[in-house]
Amino acid sequence: MSFERAHQASGQPFVLPYDQTVLVLQGGGALGSYQAGVYEVLHAQGIRPDWIAGISIGAINSAIMAGNAPEDRVERLRSFWKTVGLHIPGEDFAGRSSFSEITYRSLGSGVAASAGVPGFFRPWFLPPWFYGPGQVEATSFYDTSPLRQTLLDHIDFDRINSGATRLSLGAVNIRSGNFVYFDNTERTIGPEHVMASGALPPGFPAVVIDGEPYWDGGLVSNTPLSYVLDQGVARDTLVFQIDLFSAVGPEPQTMDEVEERRKDITYSSRTRMNTDAFLEKYRLRHMIRNLAENVPEDVRRRILGDAYADDTFKGRVSLVHLINRANRREIQSKDFDFWRVSILQHWQDGMKDAAVAMQAESWRTLGDPETGLAVYDYIRPDMVTA
């Protein structure tokens, strides 16, 4: 019996020693079905996130999850990825050799680039250089209006804005260059906020919200992890971070592998950098709190005033890090290879990796409060290389 089938019958929420559970989803285009596969296993195990944060394709997956009842999320994710999957004639021959599989993966990205992806984006009638300055067609290669209807078909935005699940979507303001988060605790979220988080130039046009133009948040940071750590550390928190690009990889041997490796390094989340920065702040706050508790109150107030709060940075964080490390003859255009076979394989990879993490016991208990954060990185046995 498969892992997901074995646990679907139980499906009861985990009883864990955390105040909140957070799902953090990186950007990565067509690779995003990996996140859906991970979530299918988490859901089957009874894990119900209180907060979901995403960027780019991670924002789309996040909005689908937050915008549906827990029991409907996997099916809605499956419907979305089926909608955007490309069928290529003769694909049954793809797995017969290394050459044929690479050929079909190249066809998947080639069809997406030339003809677009159903329910997602389509090319403008002419290349951007044939349009006048200021026209939306002059600033991008594709029209993303089909995505709006797909989002409306798959997401209940009233549910998102009810606050049943916190949702945070990262984007960048084009004029200021500043990173922003569209958070349903602070504003009403609509399809335009999801689209803005995934508006990666020069492929996709900017999305204008309240008179301000926005692009894909991955231009600044491809993960919402730092936002989550900064916002949520007053409570004991369990974070599942699902990354689509691996910072670690082999030395490339061809130009195609060079471009693929470049993309992996560029878009990997730099989790260690984020967690190291968090730990530095956590430990500093911890020392300040200890000092404040051991000096007279009048001295503490004279030095810190009202800035000191005894619950600041008291929360401990356990971070379960799941990374799409599979490399089955991938190509540099893997993030826009929307061939339905590739999408299904990424989904299955996510399920396999999540199954390994779910079998572990280490992340199920809280760490030392003086440590502040524990990172758990699980690798499938078939992904380990000498």
Side-chain angles (χ1 to χ4, degrees):
M1 180 180 289
S2 67
F3 180 88
E4 67 276 15
R5 297 299 179 194
H7 291 85
Q8 277 176 344
S10 62
Q12 296 300 313
F14 263 131
V15 178
L16 293 168
Y18 298 97
D19 299 316
Q20 63 178 347
T21 300
V22 186
L23 202 57
V24 174
L25 306 182
Q26 187 189 66
L31 300 172
S33 59
Y34 175 88
Q35 296 170 340
V38 170
Y39 180 76
E40 181 170 1
V41 172
L42 298 185
H43 177 81
Q45 281 277 359
I47 292 175
R48 304 290 183 262
D50 305 291
W51 181 7
I52 308 175
I55 288 174
S56 199
I57 197 66
I60 293 176
N61 283 332
S62 296
I64 293 173
M65 294 176 201
N68 284 281
E71 63 270 19
D72 297 326
R73 289 172 178 172
V74 173
E75 186 53 43
R76 291 283 83 192
L77 286 166
R78 187 174 288 115
S79 174
F80 170 80
W81 285 102
K82 183 177 180 180
T83 298
V84 300
L86 296 171
H87 171 73
I88 300 176
E91 60 193 20
D92 291 341
F93 294 97
R96 297 191 178 184
S97 70
S98 173
F99 176 77
S100 63
E101 186 167 350
I102 291 175
T103 298
Y104 271 86
R105 292 186 184 281
S106 298
L107 284 171
S109 55
V111 170
S114 60
V117 172
F120 200 153
F121 60 89
R122 60 194 174 205
W124 297 114
F125 182 70
L126 294 172
W129 302 280
F130 289 85
Y131 295 94
Q135 292 182 274
V136 66
E137 296 92 340
T139 61
S140 63
F141 290 97
Y142 302 102
D143 172 14
T144 55
S145 60
L147 177 59
R148 181 181 180 86
Q149 186 57 52
T150 301
L151 294 175
L152 291 171
D153 290 341
H154 288 83
I155 299 168
D156 180 352
F157 284 94
D158 287 338
R159 183 180 184 89
I160 287 177
N161 293 309
S162 73
T165 301
R166 183 174 179 180
L167 177 66
S168 305
L169 309 174
V172 59
N173 184 299
I174 295 176
R175 292 195 178 106
S176 69
N178 291 333
F179 205 18
V180 298
Y181 274 94
F182 304 126
D183 196 308
N184 66 347
T185 63
E186 300 173 350
R187 68 170 72 206
T188 300
I189 300 295
E192 63 275 10
H193 298 93
V194 185
M195 295 174 69
S197 183
L200 184 65
F204 299 159
V207 176
V208 178
I209 300 173
D210 297 330
E212 291 294 326
Y214 295 93
W215 272 337
D216 191 309
L219 294 173
V220 176
S221 173
N222 204 32
T223 178
L225 179 61
S226 58
Y227 178 76
V228 166
L229 293 178
D230 285 341
Q231 292 275 314
V233 293
R235 305 168 65 190
D236 290 332
T237 302
L238 173 62
V239 177
F240 290 95
Q241 178 172 329
I242 309 174
D243 288 356
L244 302 178
F245 295 96
S246 175
V248 177
E251 181 181 355
Q253 304 298 312
T254 67
M255 282 304 297
D256 195 70
E257 291 177 1
V258 166
E259 180 59 16
E260 181 197 5
R261 191 75 199 103
R262 182 198 66 79
K263 193 173 289 187
D264 282 345
I265 293 171
T266 300
Y267 291 112
S268 60
S269 67
R270 298 293 183 275
T271 295
R272 180 54 58 193
M273 180 183 69
N274 285 316
T275 54
D276 285 349
F278 169 79
L279 281 173
E280 184 178 357
K281 288 190 290 185
Y282 184 96
R283 288 166 179 162
L284 179 60
R285 294 292 187 96
H286 188 71
M287 287 189 290
I288 292 173
R289 186 170 60 247
N290 284 340
L291 284 170
E293 290 172 351
N294 287 280
V295 300
E297 184 177 351
D298 62 324
V299 175
R300 176 177 64 79
R301 289 192 175 278
R302 187 170 67 251
I303 297 173
L304 299 176
D306 295 328
Y308 172 75
D310 60 7
D311 62 343
T312 301
F313 274 63
K314 268 192 173 180
R316 290 162 288 180
V317 177
S318 293
L319 173 65
V320 180
H321 195 196
L322 295 162
I323 306 171
N324 176 27
R325 290 186 172 93
N327 189 341
R328 58 171 66 76
R329 297 183 289 274
E330 297 277 20
I331 56 177
Q332 61 89 12
S333 55
K334 60 187 178 182
D335 53 333
F336 57 97
D337 169 19
F338 283 87
W339 180 32
R340 64 188 184 116
V341 175
S342 295
I343 286 174
L344 178 59
Q345 288 175 336
H346 294 312
W347 188 301
Q348 292 171 340
D349 286 333
M351 295 185 70
K352 292 175 184 176
D353 289 347
V356 171
M358 290 298 98
Q359 290 165 6
E361 296 292 332
S362 49
W363 56 267
R364 300 171 189 269
T365 56
L366 283 165
D368 184 340
E370 293 194 16
T371 301
L373 182 144
V375 180
Y376 304 98
D377 190 353
Y378 301 105
I379 304 175
R380 299 195 333 247
D382 59 314
M383 290 291 103
V384 177
T385 57

